[in-house]
């Protein structure tokens, strides 16, 4: 694999870099406000979309550009280099949109996809529940179809990122409790402003409230908003999950922070430390830096495979797993270097950056599958190791629920 840009990629990089420089004031600075300014974030994404820099790898008929993963990676790199904040609709673009493209009707694709790319509509993913933990297939939110064909939804979701800002979500429900738990699920598109939907933000230890719990009290969803066949929701959800893990580090992008920025932070402060601590800091940073480079280049290998026509597979879990570990190590090192400033937030680079990242990254380690779930996926589906013993495979969800499993 050649790590240098091809002539076409170099031209693309120059074009992207010039656009970001020209519109720097409109696109903002990722080191500015900690809380999301919704209207500014939507305008920022619309500006980038109209210029052709959002949904680059999406098919043209879905509103995208029909470009390559490397073109998207170059945009991500240049935005990080220029300090441009991330897109408000990253979940919609990285997870919900690919699910609609893969399993939605022509009508759904026409109504939703281009508006999602421009952030005219913001989307969320409604999977996790309070009682299911890491076992997504144990979810209890139920959907019951009436005589007119509409579906009535009752239940609760939790840890739903950006639900309080979202216009639509993809919702995984249980439609048949009398079959094995993976087989009785169905996916829908849900209007987050529909009667019966209640969103309650959850205050996190970062001070922000990007996560939410969402309640569904007899919410009515027309059958035309179903994604895929009835009872085939697990297969639809796998499309979402594979896309999610590719988005969260599988493509080689940094998780949480740019490692070069951490290097600047270390270089600015290491001289203030006693010599024995300087040696330890260099060792810690060296280990984390190597881990980050390993994750980055593994991601580039995946991007190369995708550029040659491969589909994202379970190996994307390795990038998310390694990237989260490296990001946690880097954030911990950056905060420890701040010393007392890390407690009082007296320094500008400590008040809203490093502590916030350190406090927020444990949530990233859970999102898209816990480390334990990802290790199982890598062991069973990438390395071909024997599957974990399971006692629930031949029992219906109703039997499992009655037994408290």
């Amino acid at each position: 694999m050649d790590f240098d840009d091809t002539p076409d990629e170099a031209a693309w990089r120059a074009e992207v870099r010039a656009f970001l420089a020209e519109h720097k004031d409109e696109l903002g600075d990722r080191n500015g406000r900690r809380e999301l300014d919704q209207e500014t974030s939507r305008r920022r994404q619309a500006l980038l979309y109209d210029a052709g820099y959002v949904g680059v790898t999406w098919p043209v008929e879905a509103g995208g550009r029909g470009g390559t993963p490397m073109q998207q990676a170059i945009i991500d790199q240049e935005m990080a280099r220029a300090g441009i904040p991330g897109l408000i609709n990253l979940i919609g673009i990285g997870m919900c949109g690919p699910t609609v493209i893969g399993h939605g009707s022509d009508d759904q694709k026409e109504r939703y996809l281009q508006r999602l790319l421009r952030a005219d509509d913001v989307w969320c993913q409604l999977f996790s529940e309070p009682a299911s933990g890491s076992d997504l297939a144990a979810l209890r939110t139920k959907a019951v179809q009436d005589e007119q064909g509409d579906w009535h939804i009752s239940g609760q979701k939790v840890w739903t990122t950006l639900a309080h800002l979202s216009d639509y979500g993809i919702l995984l429900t249980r439609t048949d409790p009398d079959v094995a738990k993976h087989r009785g699920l169905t996916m829908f598109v849900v209007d987050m402003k529909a009667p019966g939907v209640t969103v309650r933000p959850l205050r996190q230890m970062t001070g922000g409230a990007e996560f939410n719990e969402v309640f569904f009290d007899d919410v009515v969803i027309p059958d035309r908003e179903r994604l895929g066949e009835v009872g085939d929701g697990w297969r639809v959800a796998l499309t979402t999950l594979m896309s999610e893990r590719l988005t969260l580090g599988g493509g080689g992008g940094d998780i949480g922070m740019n490692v070069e920025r951490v290097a600047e932070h270390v270089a600015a402060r290491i001289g203030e430390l006693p010599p024995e601590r300087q040696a330890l800091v260099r060792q810690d940073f060296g280990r984390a830096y190597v881990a980050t480079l390993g994750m980055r280049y593994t991601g580039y290998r995946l991007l190369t495979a995708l550029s040659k026509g491969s589909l994202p597979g379970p190996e994307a879990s390795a990038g998310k797993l390694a990237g989260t570990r490296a990001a946690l190590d880097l954030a911990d090192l950056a905060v420890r270097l701040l010393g007392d400033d890390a407690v009082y937030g007296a320094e500008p680079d400590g008040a809203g950056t490093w502590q916030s990242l350190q406090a927020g990254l444990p949530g990233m380690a859970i999102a898209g599958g816990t480390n334990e779930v990802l290790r199982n996926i890598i062991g069973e589906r990438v390395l071909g190791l024997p599957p974990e013993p399971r006692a629930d495979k031949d029992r219906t969800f109703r039997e499992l629920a009655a037994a408290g499993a």
Side-chain angles (χ1 to χ4, degrees), residues 1 157 194 207 224 241 275 315 317 385:
M1 181 169 57
K157 298 291 180 177
R224 68 189 178 110
L241 294 172
E315 64 276 6
S317 299
L385 300 177

Side-chain angles (χ1 to χ4, degrees), residues 117-308:
L117 289 172
R118 289 193 84 255
D120 295 329
D121 299 323
V122 173
W123 286 59
C124 63
Q125 176 210 81
L126 298 144
F127 280 13
S128 297
E129 296 192 5
S132 57
S134 297
D135 186 3
L136 175 60
L139 63 86
R140 293 168 181 261
T141 294
K142 65 179 181 180
V144 178
Q145 194 169 29
D146 64 20
E147 294 179 353
Q148 288 72 42
D150 294 336
W151 295 86
H152 294 250
I153 314 297
S154 299
Q156 179 190 354
K157 298 291 180 177
V158 74
W159 310 122
T160 308
T161 306
L162 298 188
H164 59 304
L165 304 180
S166 294
D167 303 285
Y168 294 97
I170 54 173
L171 171 66
L172 192 59
T173 67
R174 183 163 305 284
T175 47
D176 187 353
D178 293 315
V179 295
K181 60 183 181 181
H182 291 82
R183 290 166 46 203
L185 305 175
T186 304
M187 184 93 87
F188 298 93
V189 174
V190 59
D191 180 349
M192 295 297 290
K193 306 296 191 299
V197 178
T198 301
V199 178
R200 295 179 182 169
L202 296 168
R203 184 65 61 183
Q204 303 149 223
M205 62 181 174
T206 60
E210 289 84 16
F211 295 153
N212 301 268
E213 51 184 355
V214 184
F215 299 87
F216 296 90
D217 183 10
D218 195 27
V219 175
V220 179
I221 299 180
D223 189 57
R224 68 189 178 110
E225 300 297 359
R226 177 165 41 81
L227 280 174
E229 300 299 322
V230 175
D232 199 28
W234 185 250
R235 189 173 69 90
V236 180
L238 289 179
T239 298
T240 312
L241 294 172
M242 286 299 104
S243 300
E244 181 178 36
R245 286 158 196 159
L246 183 63
T247 301
L248 300 177
D254 294 322
I255 292 179
M257 66 187 68
N258 180 280
V259 67
E260 283 75 18
R261 185 156 176 247
V262 180
E264 294 173 5
H265 180 72
V266 171
R269 291 182 172 270
I270 195 168
E272 303 168 5
L273 302 176
E276 64 274 16
R277 282 202 62 201
Q278 290 186 25
L280 294 174
V281 167
R282 287 193 177 93
Q283 291 173 11
D284 287 348
F285 180 74
R287 278 193 290 268
Y289 186 76
V290 169
T292 301
L293 291 183
M295 185 271 294
R296 184 179 296 178
Y297 294 141
T298 301
Y300 289 171
R301 184 168 60 183
L302 176 59
L303 288 174
T304 301
L306 294 175
S307 297
K308 295 179 179 177

